[in-house]
């Protein structure tokens, strides 16, 4: 059974701070996605990474896929209150269903 | 944003009644999924579909059935609702290579 772990589970920081959240597995994935979910809404896709070692940037968010395609990180620079939410990672392999991590709940205080 | 809608968005029902939730997509994606999301459990797969009339069970399928008679619609039925099925239900879609899922806005279901 493929499992994804995320750390930390909860993170509360002040506006302007930097942070990194992690998504780890013992399994290899062909692609990995990061989502942000706000209360009362569905998860919204932030990025998909497919190549080992790949780095993608989305404004102040930097995503990295591990070389072995088993792990990923999300780094936020100068966090803002609008970054508050639940961050989910999900791994995918062709022909198999998606595997979701439990999420990291981020709170950015003004 | 991917064209996915769910209806109803909110529903309150009584134990023992059947309930049907609808997911509609305008993206012509092959795969459709139903998840439930509960505190402490994250997103759990109920059922999924890999084509019209092609469906299979996920990890928490007991008490649920699905149907997909058209590419764009995926229905989830709670045959006889129980309080343990109180949850937020999300529909998701993915293309043929299943690289990425896109989620609907969710249906909040309360079973009294």
């Amino acid at each position: 059974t493929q499992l994804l772990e995320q750390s930390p589970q909860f993170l509360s920081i002040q506006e302007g701070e930097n942070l990194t959240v992690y998504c780890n597995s013992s399994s290899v994935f062909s692609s990995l996605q990061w989502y942000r979910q706000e209360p009362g809404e569905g998860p919204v896709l932030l990025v998909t990474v497919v190549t080992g070692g790949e780095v993608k940037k989305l404004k102040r968010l930097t995503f990295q896929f591990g070389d072995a395609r088993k792990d990923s990180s999300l780094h936020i620079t100068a966090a803002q209150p609008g970054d508050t939410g639940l961050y989910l990672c999900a791994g995918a392999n062709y022909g198999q269903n998606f595997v979701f991590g439990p999420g990291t709940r981020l709170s950015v205080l003004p | 944003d991917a064209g996915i809608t769910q209806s109803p968005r909110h529903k309150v029902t009584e134990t023992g009644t059947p309930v049907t939730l609808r997911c509609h997509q305008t993206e012509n994606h092959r795969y459709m999924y139903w998840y439930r999301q509960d505190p402490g459990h994250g997103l759990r797969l109920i059922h999924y579909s890999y084509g019209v009339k092609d469906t299979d069970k996920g990890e928490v399928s007991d008490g649920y059935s699905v149907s997909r008679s058209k590419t764009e619609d995926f229905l989830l039925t709670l045959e006889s609702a129980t309080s343990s099925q109180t949850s937020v239900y999300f529909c998701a879609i993915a293309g043929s290579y299943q690289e990425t899922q896109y989620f609907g806005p969710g249906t909040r279901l309360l079973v009294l």
Side-chain angles (χ1 to χ4, degrees), chain B residues 3 8 20 25-26 37-38 45 54 56 75-76 92 95 99-100 110:
Chain B
T20 296
Q25 60 146 330
T26 57
Q37 188 176 37
D38 305 287
L45 181 65
D54 292 323
D56 207 347
L75 304 180
L76 175 71
E99 272 194 355
T100 299
L110 175 61

Side-chain angles (χ1 to χ4, degrees), chain A residues 25-101:
Chain A
S25 176
S26 58
S27 302
V28 175
F29 293 101
S30 60
S31 69
L32 195 138
Q33 299 79 45
W34 283 94
Y35 297 85
R36 180 170 65 221
Q37 185 178 20
E38 299 186 25
E41 299 182 8
V44 175
L45 179 71
L46 296 174
V47 76
T48 296
V49 286
V50 298
T51 305
E54 181 178 5
V55 176
K56 281 191 173 180
K57 293 191 175 184
L58 183 66
K59 297 184 181 178
R60 294 176 294 100
L61 279 61
T62 302
F63 305 86
Q64 184 163 9
F65 201 11
D67 290 341
R69 290 186 288 128
K70 294 182 178 181
D71 53 79
S72 181
S73 63
L74 158 59
H75 181 79
I76 302 179
T77 302
Q80 299 177 0
D83 296 325
T84 293
L86 178 67
Y87 288 81
L88 295 164
C89 66
N93 277 310
Y94 179 66
Q96 300 179 29
N97 288 320
F98 291 78
V99 176
F100 281 86

Side-chain angles (χ1 to χ4, degrees), chain A residues 8-19 21 36-37 39 76 79-87 104-110:
Chain A
Q9 274 190 288
F10 301 95
L11 188 56
S12 181
I13 61 171
Q14 293 293 132
E15 182 176 2
E17 293 184 7
N18 301 331
L19 66 113
V21 297
R36 180 170 65 221
Q37 185 178 20
I76 302 179
Q80 299 177 0
D83 296 325
T84 293
L86 178 67
Y87 288 81
T104 292
R105 193 165 296 279
L106 173 65
S107 176
V108 182
L109 305 174

Side-chain angles (χ1 to χ4, degrees), chain B residues 1-108:
Chain B
D1 289 343
I4 312 169
T5 57
Q6 292 184 232
S7 59
R9 293 293 314 278
H10 303 271
K11 186 167 183 68
V12 180
T13 191
E14 294 185 348
T15 298
T17 60
V19 176
T20 296
L21 309 183
R22 180 182 183 237
C23 176
H24 179 79
Q25 60 146 330
T26 57
E27 305 297 318
N28 200 35
H29 277 6
R30 177 183 176 188
Y31 290 88
M32 298 185 76
Y33 308 81
W34 278 108
Y35 292 90
R36 59 179 290 175
Q37 188 176 37
D38 305 287
H41 291 280
L43 281 161
R44 292 183 290 174
L45 181 65
I46 304 171
H47 282 279
Y48 66 99
S49 169
Y50 47 97
V52 173
K53 297 187 180 179
D54 292 323
T55 64
D56 207 347
K57 297 178 180 180
E59 63 179 306
V60 290
S61 59
D62 286 348
Y64 302 94
S65 62
V66 290
S67 65
R68 191 170 179 198
S69 58
K70 298 185 290 185
T71 298
E72 57 266 35
D73 289 325
F74 193 32
L75 304 180
L76 175 71
T77 298
L78 287 63
E79 294 142 9
S80 177
T82 67
S83 58
S84 65
Q85 293 175 312
T86 291
S87 187
V88 182
Y89 291 86
F90 289 102
C91 174
I93 63 174
S96 295
Y97 293 101
Q98 288 183 283
E99 272 194 355
T100 299
Q101 283 187 321
Y102 299 94
F103 283 83
T107 294
R108 191 172 295 272

